[in-house]
Each structure stands twice: as C-alpha cells, then as structure tokens.
Amino acid sequence: MNDELYQQLTKKSISTKKDNFGKRLSLFALILIGLVVFAILFFVVSRGLSTFTLDQINPFNFVFGTQWNPGKTDEAGNQLVGALPMIVGSFAVTFLSALVATPFAIGTALFVTEVSPKWGNKIMQPVIELLVGIPSVVYGFIGLAVVVPAVRNATGGTGFGIFSGVVVLFVMILPTITSMTIDALRNVPGHMRESAYAIGATPWQTIYKVVLRAAIPGILTAIVFGLARAFGEALAVQMVVGNSPVMPDGLFSPAATLTSVLTQGIGNTTDGSLANDVLWSLAMILLLMSLLFNTIIRRIANRRALK
Amino acid sequence: MAENVKEKAILTTKDVRLFYGKKEALHGINLDFPETGITALIGPSGSGKSTYLRSINRMHDFTDYVKVTGEFNYNGQNIYDPNTDLTQLRKNIGMVFQQPNPFPFSIYENVAFGLKLDNKLSKIELDERVETALKQAAIWDDVKDRLQQSALGLSGGQQQRIAIARALATRPDILLLDEPTSALDPISSRAVEDGLVEIGDKYSIIIVTHNMQQAKRISDRTAFFMDGNLIEVDSTKNIFLYPKEKETEDYVSGKFG
C-alpha cells in the first residue's frame, strides 16, 4: 500500500468540504422552517384547545352554537360562544366568490392562451400580475368606498354584508385563479391541439373538448388556491362584511367571518380570559381549514403527477 | 423529372411553394398520389418532406407567417380554395403525428372524437365505426376489453395505433403520417407498420420517414426530397435499386443523411 496515495485519497479535498458545508447549511434552513411551522401549529392548537379544557366549553356547542357574545351567559348559565355564524360567514363569502370568479378566470385565461396570445402576453398578463400585488387593505378600502355605498343604494340596507364581501373577494382571488389557470392551459401539450385540428376540430371545439378537459386538474388546483386565499383573507373582508357575529339571514345583512372576528377582537381581550381563548379556538379552526385546502391541492397535484 | 402516377390520381400537387416569411422552403414540388397504396417521402432533415406533408391538409394555416402557393387538386377540388371547409377537408385527409398523442380520455372517446364533432351518429353506428377503425389500425384485439379505460395507460406503440384509428374513424381518403414510428421502439414500430400495410390497399397513405428500411419494407412508391426540392419519385424498388439521380443514389446508399 502506497502511503502517500492513501493520504491523498482519504484526506478531504476543499471541494468536498465546501459541498458538506452547503449540505449542512440547507439542512439547517430546513430544520429552522420546520421548527417554525411546528411551533405555530403547537401554539395555536394548544391555546385553541384551552377553551375546551380550561374553560370547559362543550366543543359541539362551540362549533354549532349560533349565539356569539363571549363573557355573557344565557338564562341557563351557558357561555354564549357559538362560532357557527362566523364559520357560515367564512364559507359563504369564500365559496360564493370562487363560484363567481371561476368562469371569469377561465374566460380570461382562455383569451390569453388560446384566443389572442399576443394581446394576452402584452396586456393581460401584466395586468393580472399587478392585481395580485395590490395590498388587501387597498381592496378593502375600495370596497368600503365604492361597493358598500352602491349596495346600500341598491338594497336599502347598510350596504355591509356577505354580498359586499363576495364582491371584494371576487376581485382579489380572480387574478390568483386566472394566472394559475393560464399555467394549467399552457401545460396542455401543443401536439394535443394539433391533433385535434388535424382531425377536423374547429379552434373552439379544440378548446372545450380537448384543452379544457386536459387542464381540469390544473384548473381545480387553481380554484382551491383561490378558495384558500379567500378563506384566509381578513382585512379587506373585515372592512366590508359588517362584523356582526349573528347567523347571516341573507346576502345583504351584516355578517362576520372567522378572520374578521379575529382581527377585531384579538387586541381587545385579556390574555387568558375566556373571550381571548375562544378567539384562539377560531384561529385553530382557520388553521385546520387551511391544512384541509392544502391537502386537497396536494391530492390533485399528485393525481396529475401519476398521469 | 420523375415520373408520376399512371393510374388515376386522388391528389395532384403542382408547383407547390412554401414561404416562411420571405424565405422559400419548398421550391416548386410536383407530385401525384394514387387512390390506394403507400407513398413514402424520404430525405435528410430539413429537406422539406414534413413541410410538404403538412401543406396537404393545410396544417400551416395556424402559422401566420407561412404562405403556401401552388395547385393542390384533391378529386377535382382545390384544397386551398377559400371556400374549402377545413373541418371536412381534415376528415377526408387524416393525419398522424410523430408523438403518440392520445387525448386524456378513454380509448373509445379518443377514436370517436372526430365522429362526434358535428354529425350526430347513433350509438350503434358510433360503436361500429370505432370498432372498424380499431380493427383497421390492428389494435382491436389489444383494447377491445378496455375501451372505457384511459388511452394514456397504453404503451407508445398502442397509443400510436389509437391515433391511426382516430384518423381512420372519419373514413378519410388520404392518410398522412409524419414520422409515425420515430418515437417508438422497434417492436412497436413493427406493429404500426403491419397495421399500415394492412390498410394500404384501401387508402392513399403518405408517410414521411427518416427510416429508409421502413420505406423499403412498407411503401409502394418512394419520393426523395432534398433542400426543398423533389429530386425523384418512382416505385420503391427502383428508388432503392436503380435510382436515376446521383443524389438519390448517394442518400439511399448511406453516403450522407
């Protein structure tokens, strides 16, 4: 055995050391992020659960109760901490806004990718990207200044309510759904369009019989992303929804969402009080819903990967 | 100049020129095709054989900067007549591409695609046409028990035969194939070739191929393209054994290409 060669081969070279350092650095970053996520989960869940452990609130009454007035009790002495009005409010604004936004998003995306890529790339794409970048408080402010008075004039109520929330969220999630739908349509291979044409399909038949069908998983992902964004949006919604934690009895009466109650209440309650604990429980519900949306997105993405 | 079809031609093209912007890519092609039989278009990359093939069913229409001139006479009808209905034209002149490209639907839906585009056929008639097309493409036995399964689950060779069945289902007169086996392994290629030979006596088949062995195996006539010109067209036997032109001889003997 040649000792010199042995030394040379077993001594770690500088490149190897740098390589190891890089690996350790990225591992460290990963662990740090992982810890942060875990800490948030742990913190929110542990605080959120104290409503049910320390304050002895029945979880069933919490989720399905319709009276929200933390600190007050009804005649029987039960705490008025029913979160159903906010849960319903959140789901109503979320699903309604996605329902309205999706057709517009698909239409816009089709224009950009299929009808007029030139105009689409030059004008529509920058506009859409601009819309994504506008801070939500601006949307809320416009909603407050334009949508709410318009609804007030049209319906005669206060103008605050689920409908105004839906209008604002519609504008907010439209660019999200649109730009992801554009990606989904662009991912449909060109040769699929070509073979549809070659068989005698018109451009429109090609779009709705082949391109849209092939892009369904991607479009679904886009919609779920829109849902997740709408569900988690707090500020803009809070500004127009009315913030009245009662069961909504129509689109035009004031309502509240999980997020709007949270942003309003979290600074005005004492740490450790029941009023504070129930807010944490609302946050926990929000977090669980976000996880659910994420799971759905991953499921769809995985199914697409299998094909 | 090369001799053209003696029997009745289903498609005659005269002085076909194609421009990419100002650049001329095809320099006046004169080529006829008989009512049945396989014609192979061979030639080195960039020779214009695929470009010529795609001009037959007007696939260049979707590219704005491409201009095609010349005479395309299909059964007495000018293909480039402004009144030509592209949809009907492409049902009569079907096309299969290099990449096996099934739509993300079931096998049945893939083959029935062209049939469902406008005319409403009864379920029975649809079933029958799908079955016939699949049998002609020599894929029926492989898929008859799983017509409702996704075509994406098939092998490359099977997918390509589904693409051929898809084109045959609309009962075309002419079938254009643009290097249909170059993305396939030899065994799958063989299956596709066998299918083509089977239907060669019923359709006019025009196949672009890089593979000279393939041209030799399956085609009745061969046309040799180079640099946007048609150098020579003759029976496949003559092209490979007794080529008249020097370029043809050099190419088929493997001196270049």
Side-chain angles (χ1 to χ4, degrees):
Chain A
M1 184 62 132
N2 184 336
D3 256 11
E4 205 177 321
L5 181 65
Y6 179 81
Q7 286 276 321
Q8 201 182 356
L9 283 177
T10 50
K11 191 169 162 263
K12 288 216 163 58
S13 71
I14 293 178
S15 321
T16 311
K17 280 180 187 157
K18 279 186 182 162
D19 186 52
N20 286 337
F21 178 71
K23 270 186 202 154
R24 273 186 224 119
L25 199 67
S26 56
L27 184 67
F28 173 72
L30 181 83
I31 291 173
L32 195 70
I33 301 283
L35 277 177
V36 169
V37 172
F38 184 75
I40 292 174
L41 274 174
F42 178 77
F43 191 63
V44 171
V45 170
S46 66
R47 294 294 303 261
L49 284 177
S50 61
T51 304
F52 313 117
T53 53
L54 290 177
D55 302 316
Q56 309 280 319
I57 305 286
N58 182 342
F60 185 83
N61 291 342
F62 179 76
V63 175
F64 293 101
T66 56
Q67 304 273 332
W68 178 261
N69 201 347
K72 301 274 163 40
T73 53
D74 63 8
E75 296 86 14
N78 293 320
Q79 294 280 353
L80 292 175
V81 287
L84 193 62
M86 282 81 78
I87 296 174
V88 170
S90 273
F91 276 100
V93 292
T94 301
F95 281 101
L96 285 176
S97 58
L99 196 69
V100 184
T102 302
F104 285 93
I106 292 178
T108 313
L110 282 177
F111 183 85
V112 172
T113 58
E114 314 291 322
V115 181
S116 178
K118 236 186 225 164
W119 277 86
N121 288 334
K122 234 188 244 162
I123 311 236
M124 289 309 291
Q125 193 100 6
V127 168
I128 292 163
E129 276 156 21
L130 188 77
L131 284 174
V132 177
I134 295 177
S136 59
V137 65
V138 176
Y139 282 108
F141 197 67
I142 295 172
L144 196 59
V146 181
V147 180
V148 171
V151 174
R152 187 185 304 142
N153 289 337
T155 64
T158 60
F160 293 98
I162 289 180
F163 183 81
S164 302
V166 167
V167 172
V168 170
L169 280 178
F170 156 71
V171 182
M172 289 186 71
I173 66 174
L174 183 63
T176 309
I177 303 182
T178 306
S179 62
M180 291 186 64
T181 304
I182 289 175
D183 291 342
L185 294 177
R186 287 213 174 119
N187 278 336
V188 176
H191 59 66
M192 226 174 242
R193 292 180 181 83
E194 211 170 37
S195 30
Y197 291 141
I199 225 164
T202 63
W204 180 240
Q205 284 175 324
T206 305
I207 287 173
Y208 80 84
K209 289 199 170 183
V210 177
V211 178
L212 278 181
R213 259 179 96 170
I216 283 175
I219 296 174
L220 281 180
T221 313
I223 295 172
V224 180
F225 261 101
L227 287 174
R229 181 160 188 218
F231 200 78
E233 175 52 39
L235 208 51
V237 176
Q238 191 210 331
M239 289 166 83
V240 299
V241 83
N243 303 309
S244 167
V246 293
M247 277 305 273
D249 61 353
L251 289 178
F252 301 103
S253 60
T257 64
L258 293 166
T259 49
S260 73
V261 168
L262 269 174
T263 49
Q264 265 206 317
I266 204 82
N268 304 324
T269 51
T270 330
D271 208 21
S273 67
L274 173 69
N276 189 264
D277 288 345
V278 287
L279 290 180
W280 282 106
S281 303
L282 293 185
M284 185 176 74
I285 293 179
L286 261 178
L287 193 68
L288 293 178
M289 290 310 302
S290 304
L291 284 177
L292 183 71
F293 282 129
N294 266 310
T295 317
I296 296 172
I297 292 170
R298 293 197 73 98
R299 276 277 168 83
I300 297 174
N302 280 344
R303 251 181 43 197
R304 190 164 39 163
L306 282 180
K307 281 180 181 171
Chain B
M1 189 55 218
E3 85 184 85
N4 263 324
V5 183
K6 284 167 201 138
E7 52 177 308
K8 187 172 175 289
I10 192 166
L11 173 71
T12 57
T13 65
K14 277 201 188 102
D15 196 31
V16 173
R17 288 169 196 277
L18 182 140
F19 302 86
Y20 286 111
K22 290 215 167 70
K23 193 176 160 276
E24 191 178 278
L26 295 177
H27 312 297
I29 310 283
N30 299 300
L31 193 51
D32 297 352
F33 299 93
E35 279 183 315
T36 59
I38 302 180
T39 305
L41 310 185
I42 62 167
S45 298
S47 60
K49 53 196 190 307
S50 281
T51 309
Y52 172 75
L53 187 82
R54 294 165 67 92
S55 68
I56 294 175
N57 70 342
R58 289 181 59 174
M59 284 306 280
H60 295 300
D61 278 28
F62 296 105
T63 331
D64 332 327
Y65 54 87
V66 173
K67 196 174 146 247
V68 182
T69 66
E71 192 181 302
F72 288 79
N73 188 323
Y74 158 57
N75 267 346
Q77 171 67 30
N78 174 13
I79 289 177
Y80 277 80
D81 186 318
N83 292 325
T84 300
D85 183 56
L86 279 187
T87 299
Q88 195 51 50
L89 174 76
R90 292 188 179 138
K91 282 180 184 157
N92 292 359
I93 305 181
M95 184 159 196
V96 175
F97 298 89
Q98 181 177 357
Q99 285 300 323
N101 44 9
F103 301 131
F105 328 143
S106 70
I107 293 165
Y108 183 94
E109 287 284 315
N110 260 282
V111 180
F113 183 82
L115 300 173
K116 284 182 166 179
L117 286 176
D118 45 15
N119 44 343
K120 287 263 173 286
L121 294 176
S122 68
K123 178 89 177 72
I124 299 164
E125 202 169 350
L126 266 181
D127 287 352
E128 193 191 299
R129 300 266 293 258
V130 168
E131 184 178 333
T132 310
L134 285 167
K135 278 179 177 158
Q136 286 185 331
I139 184 77
W140 173 251
D141 290 331
D142 293 33
V143 299
K144 63 182 174 201
D145 299 322
R146 45 173 170 158
L147 291 176
Q148 297 309 325
Q149 289 177 22
S150 170
L152 298 175
L154 299 172
S155 74
Q158 290 172 325
Q159 289 185 354
Q160 196 59 298
R161 278 179 284 159
I162 292 292
I164 292 171
R166 191 170 64 191
L168 290 178
T170 59
R171 295 182 180 157
D173 294 324
I174 304 173
L175 187 62
L176 312 174
L177 301 119
D178 192 357
E179 297 184 34
T181 61
S182 61
L184 304 180
D185 63 86
I187 293 169
S188 304
S189 298
R190 189 58 197 259
V192 172
E193 282 177 16
D194 290 347
L196 290 176
V197 172
E198 285 277 307
I199 57 174
D201 55 351
K202 294 186 204 71
Y203 299 90
S204 180
I205 296 175
I206 310 174
I207 178 172
V208 163
T209 177
H210 264 301
N211 181 337
M212 277 185 278
Q213 304 309 317
Q214 180 173 64
K216 236 190 252 181
R217 276 195 298 267
I218 66 173
S219 71
D220 306 306
R221 288 165 75 234
T222 296
F224 173 61
F225 280 67
M226 205 170 91
D227 300 330
N229 292 302
L230 173 66
I231 305 295
E232 189 173 355
V233 57
D234 207 335
S235 71
T236 299
K237 186 179 156 205
N238 282 347
I239 288 282
F240 282 95
L241 293 180
Y242 318 106
K244 293 191 188 74
E245 306 290 330
K246 180 82 172 60
E247 290 103 322
T248 315
E249 189 183 342
D250 287 351
Y251 184 72
V252 298
S253 63
K255 279 199 185 140
F256 75 98

